[in-house]
Amino acid sequence: MRFATPILLSILFISCEDPIVVEVPIGETKLVVEGVITDQMSSQQVRLSTTDDFLSSDPTPKVSNATIQIIDSNGNLFSFSESSTPGTYLSDGFFQGVINTSYKLQFFLDSGQPYESDFQELKPVPQIDALTFAESILLNSEGFIVTVETTDNLRTGDFYRWRIFKNDIELGTLSDVFLRSDRLFNGNPFNVEFDTFTFEPGDECTVEQLSLTESSFDFFRLVQIQTGDIGESTSTAPTEVIGNIRNINDPEEKVLGFFYATSITDRTVIIQ
């Protein structure tokens, strides 16, 4: 009989790391792929690692010497090279993703095994119309909370995520991820109140608003549910959150992590 033991892995969500607990049978390791393409002119990034035993004191094993490229729906290729940090691959030069263009990750491990992701469309994201703050009225919360005001794109099927920063430090964990689908407010103005976090006068708050595809929204939502359930006596046992990466030669291999594309807009306010 094979027993499952929890392990920790980190998923790259635009340069932030948060631990996700999943169940992996003892003695079995899984490839972890972390990657995102944004519409920001930058050195895009992909990271490769493997799972490790939860009780291990060693750093998460990194995967080096891979050959990585990203291909877009117009046939353009963008190559990546491993940086001085093992397992971290940076694009060969700065580039930015293009709105309404789809991107796919392709790579070969040093062993020759080929992997690829699904195509992910880089969908447009609307501007943040306003970022306001008000004193929290929650009994167990003191300070100010912020609210984003924005207007949904006219087309249906828009999905959003928000990241919150206090004085340039990102707040929250994956269980605090703020997600929305436009199913109830398509094409209309809407607000999102971030009452999980509070601010004091003088704090600088920056909110990033990100576009998602439906599949990346579903992935973030599942991760949120899994990480939010951990630690409760009545919670469901955590399960593997399988992403959109597959081994071309072995479709049965379970690969963890996700590759997606996003456009980003942001707004900053000083709490007064």
Side-chain angles (χ1 to χ4, degrees), residues 11 97 111 209:
I11 299 297
S111 63
Q209 185 166 274

Side-chain angles (χ1 to χ4, degrees), residues 145-165:
I145 58 176
V146 296
T147 299
V148 156
E149 300 175 14
T150 188
T151 302
D152 181 51
N153 294 319
L154 291 178
R155 70 179 188 180
T156 59
D158 288 309
F159 301 88
Y160 301 98
R161 181 195 173 199
W162 291 268
R163 299 172 66 202
I164 319 299
F165 298 82

